[in-house]
Amino acid sequence: MLSKAVFYHAGCSVCVSAEQQFVTALDPQRYQVEVVHLGDAKGRVAEAERFGVKSVPALVIDGQVFHINFGAGIEVLR
Amino acid sequence: MLSKAVFYHAGCSVCVSAEQQFVTALDPQRYQVEVVHLGDAKGRVAEAERFGVKSVPALVIDGQVFHINFGAGIEVLR
């Protein structure tokens, strides 16, 4: 059975592309990944908080939160 | 062909177990994951720095760095 993983973010465009690379690296045979933009889906902020999400982007796998800080390379900002 | 992913950490025991859950969630058909303890393998710190690793734990996928901050639940510290 697929486990559920949820990726919470808030729409930073540089981060979204990097984070999607990260999300798609998860094993599709084991994880069904849902991507939630908390800026668009404010009704789910409370849900994220219940999982323990303190900042975005964050990935929740099997109920465990991983906070991800992606330091964008300067070159992507040119 | 398998892409290489490298997980750098420094041995925090609470974090290691959580992070291994995270690492094992990657798709094994696409990623060969190497786990590097930089406290034990100090010779590889420079390598990690070349990838852009600024803090540990960090996961490098396809040359891109993701810094992960796992906030351990208070219950695991009891």
Side-chain angles (χ1 to χ4, degrees), chain B residues 2 13 19 28 39 58 63 67 69:
Chain B
L2 288 176
S13 64
E19 293 150 14
H67 297 95
N69 294 334

Side-chain angles (χ1 to χ4, degrees), chain A residues 71, chain B residues 48-49 51-56 58 65 67:
Chain B
E49 287 176 338
F51 278 124
V53 172
K54 306 286 188 199
S55 60
V56 288
V65 181
H67 297 95

Side-chain angles (χ1 to χ4, degrees), chain B residues 23-76:
Chain B
V23 166
T24 59
L26 295 180
D27 185 352
Q29 302 205 355
R30 287 182 295 157
Y31 293 96
Q32 176 180 20
V33 184
E34 182 185 15
V35 175
V36 176
H37 185 320
L38 289 176
D40 293 341
K42 290 186 186 301
R44 298 188 64 177
V45 170
E47 165 200 297
E49 287 176 338
R50 280 195 299 273
F51 278 124
V53 172
K54 306 286 188 199
S55 60
V56 288
L59 182 65
V60 176
I61 297 178
D62 296 329
Q64 187 145 41
V65 181
F66 298 93
H67 297 95
I68 302 166
N69 294 334
F70 172 67
I74 193 73
E75 69 278 6
V76 302

